[in-house]
Amino acid sequence: IRNNTFRENAHEVGRGDGFPTGAIYISEAGGDSRVAGPASIEIVGNWFKDNYNGITLWENADRFCNSPNNSSSDYCTLVAGFDQCDEGSISSQPNYDDCRWKTQNVDIHGNVFEIDRAAIDGCDENCGKNALFSNYGTSPDWSPYMGDVVEQAITFDQGNVFRDNTYIGSWRFVAFDIGNAMGWSDWRSSPYRQDAGSNQVDFIDVLPGHTFFDDIEWLKDEGITLGCNPPDNTRFCPEEDVSRGQMASFLSRAMDLPAAGSNVFEDDDGSTHEDNINRLAASGITLGCTASGRSFCPNEPVTRAQMASFLARAFDLPIASGDAFDDDDGSTHEDNIDRLAATGITHGCTADDASYCPAEPVSRGQMAGFLHRSDGYLPG
């Protein structure tokens, strides 16, 4: 299954009984070198966009040749006959292996799985999953596949692999049993070890290759940002200007600043950033935006010059010995701009690094770059 686009599938059935039905659903199917056709099923180079779920690999532990639960009652598997799979023979090899229709040797790689939960009606905890699992074997009473036999086999022993994929947005995973849902780190670590070489992109508007991709991913991993569209927070809005209020929250989280004991400014009442603005003031990182020191101007964009002073004060950067740029002479922020340049936190705004553009606003993407380059000055 190569180079296709799967878009907005399984919305109705996905909202059904909680079974993670995907845009691709493989049940009791796979590759086997003993029969005609390829030895594996390969799903590669596809784009999965806003499906209720992505790919589900499933095997029914109670469905096998000669089982009363087998809906394909007229035929046995391609590598076994009915006489091999009766109650007296099925427990011995090779019958034990050959009497099941196995979901096996499925290689899922090089795909992009993208989801914007806000775009899918009814997208809840059952939405946005890839799955590799079976049910607990219960019948018939002579079945050799009782308990977690098939759950173990499909998950660990049958060559089913997710690898080298890209995940955009908030994804979860099911392995072993339908009730065993997990996040990215558990899916990739022992015992499951799926999606080796894969990447998870936190925001659907910042993809690999974006100028600030690594910086923004670092910001999310460090808990400094949640996103720009709460409560979903599936976007970062890298091109938007950073407001002074947002900058206060970014810095407060990055520095893990202590709570402030008083309300410093008059113009931030009711702002979601008020607490962090007070923390910045109490720590001496901001003096406000007016001579009186009673206003912070939380909704105004942060200029590159103001950014320099925020960071220089926050990290107590050493005095610089030289004048780094030719366009900040006379600026009240010149000293702090030079401190940023001397420590490598900024390289300027032009290709030759001769100018800093102090009056220009800072975008959210640029802000991520500033903070990431400041990593060595952050606590911990």
Side-chain angles (χ1 to χ4, degrees), residues 93-141:
Q93 292 287 17
N95 306 333
Y96 179 82
D97 282 335
D98 291 347
C99 291
R100 281 195 293 119
W101 285 277
K102 296 179 181 178
T103 296
Q104 65 179 4
N105 300 325
V106 183
D107 187 7
I108 300 167
H109 65 100
N111 303 283
V112 175
F113 296 96
E114 178 178 348
I115 192 166
D116 182 354
R117 290 176 171 272
I120 301 175
D121 184 37
C123 187
D124 56 17
E125 68 275 4
N126 293 313
C127 182
K129 291 178 177 177
N130 277 343
L132 171 63
F133 71 109
S134 177
N135 59 312
Y136 194 82
T138 60
S139 68
D141 58 9

Side-chain angles (χ1 to χ4, degrees), residues 6-330:
F6 296 87
R7 185 168 62 89
E8 299 177 8
N9 294 288
H11 286 202
E12 290 299 323
V13 68
R15 289 192 296 271
D17 59 5
F19 188 93
T21 303
I24 292 180
Y25 173 46
I26 294 179
S27 172
E28 287 87 32
D32 192 318
S33 60
R34 295 174 293 175
V35 300
S40 66
I41 291 177
E42 188 178 30
I43 303 175
V44 56
N46 303 285
W47 180 33
F48 295 83
K49 165 72 172 171
D50 290 340
N51 302 285
Y52 203 84
N53 291 296
I55 296 175
T56 295
L57 306 185
W58 155 263
E59 185 176 329
N60 188 333
D62 297 329
R63 182 177 185 240
F64 52 90
C65 186
N66 268 338
S67 168
N69 304 300
N70 174 28
S71 57
S72 305
S73 56
D74 294 337
Y75 56 89
C76 199
T77 70
L78 295 178
V79 291
F82 283 108
D83 58 339
Q84 297 170 255
C85 303
D86 60 23
E87 182 176 355
S89 305
I90 194 171
S91 295
S92 60
Q93 292 287 17
N95 306 333
Y96 179 82
D97 282 335
D98 291 347
C99 291
R100 281 195 293 119
W101 285 277
K102 296 179 181 178
T103 296
Q104 65 179 4
N105 300 325
V106 183
D107 187 7
I108 300 167
H109 65 100
N111 303 283
V112 175
F113 296 96
E114 178 178 348
I115 192 166
D116 182 354
R117 290 176 171 272
I120 301 175
D121 184 37
C123 187
D124 56 17
E125 68 275 4
N126 293 313
C127 182
K129 291 178 177 177
N130 277 343
L132 171 63
F133 71 109
S134 177
N135 59 312
Y136 194 82
T138 60
S139 68
D141 58 9
W142 51 269
S143 169
Y145 312 118
M146 291 287 199
D148 63 4
V149 169
V150 179
E151 292 175 322
Q152 174 77 26
I154 188 175
T155 306
F156 302 113
D157 305 324
Q158 292 179 184
N160 297 309
V161 177
F162 290 77
R163 60 182 176 90
D164 301 309
N165 299 295
T166 296
Y167 291 88
I168 302 170
S170 179
W171 284 85
R172 287 182 60 75
F173 307 90
V174 175
F176 197 81
D177 181 84
I178 192 171
N180 191 32
M182 66 194 71
W184 176 248
S185 59
D186 288 337
W187 171 249
R188 300 186 75 210
S189 59
S190 180
Y192 307 106
R193 301 189 184 279
Q194 290 292 342
D195 268 310
S198 298
N199 295 305
Q200 184 181 49
V201 180
D202 291 299
F203 303 112
I204 63 176
D205 56 352
V206 184
L207 305 184
H210 189 283
T211 302
F212 298 106
F213 174 78
D214 290 337
D215 303 310
I216 292 167
E217 288 293 298
W218 172 84
L219 215 66
K220 178 65 181 292
D221 291 343
E222 293 295 317
I224 299 171
T225 186
L226 303 175
C228 66
N229 60 325
D232 298 297
N233 288 317
T234 56
R235 299 179 183 276
F236 183 75
C237 307
E239 312 307 325
E240 290 187 3
D241 293 343
V242 178
S243 71
R244 289 172 56 87
Q246 291 170 343
M247 190 65 232
S249 290
F250 282 129
L251 263 180
S252 178
R253 296 189 199 112
M255 297 292 295
D256 194 21
L257 296 178
S262 60
N263 184 28
V264 180
F265 302 109
E266 298 174 340
D267 62 344
D268 63 351
D269 294 344
S271 169
T272 57
H273 305 288
E274 183 177 8
D275 176 62
N276 288 318
I277 292 169
N278 288 327
R279 292 177 186 230
L280 245 64
S283 300
I285 297 172
T286 184
L287 306 174
C289 64
T290 57
S292 68
R294 301 179 66 180
S295 298
F296 183 74
C297 308
N299 298 320
E300 289 187 4
V302 176
T303 66
R304 289 173 58 86
Q306 292 168 348
M307 170 71 78
S309 290
F310 276 130
L311 297 182
R313 295 191 200 109
F315 306 136
D316 193 22
L317 299 180
I319 298 294
S321 59
D323 184 11
F325 304 108
D326 56 15
D327 63 343
D328 62 351
D329 294 343

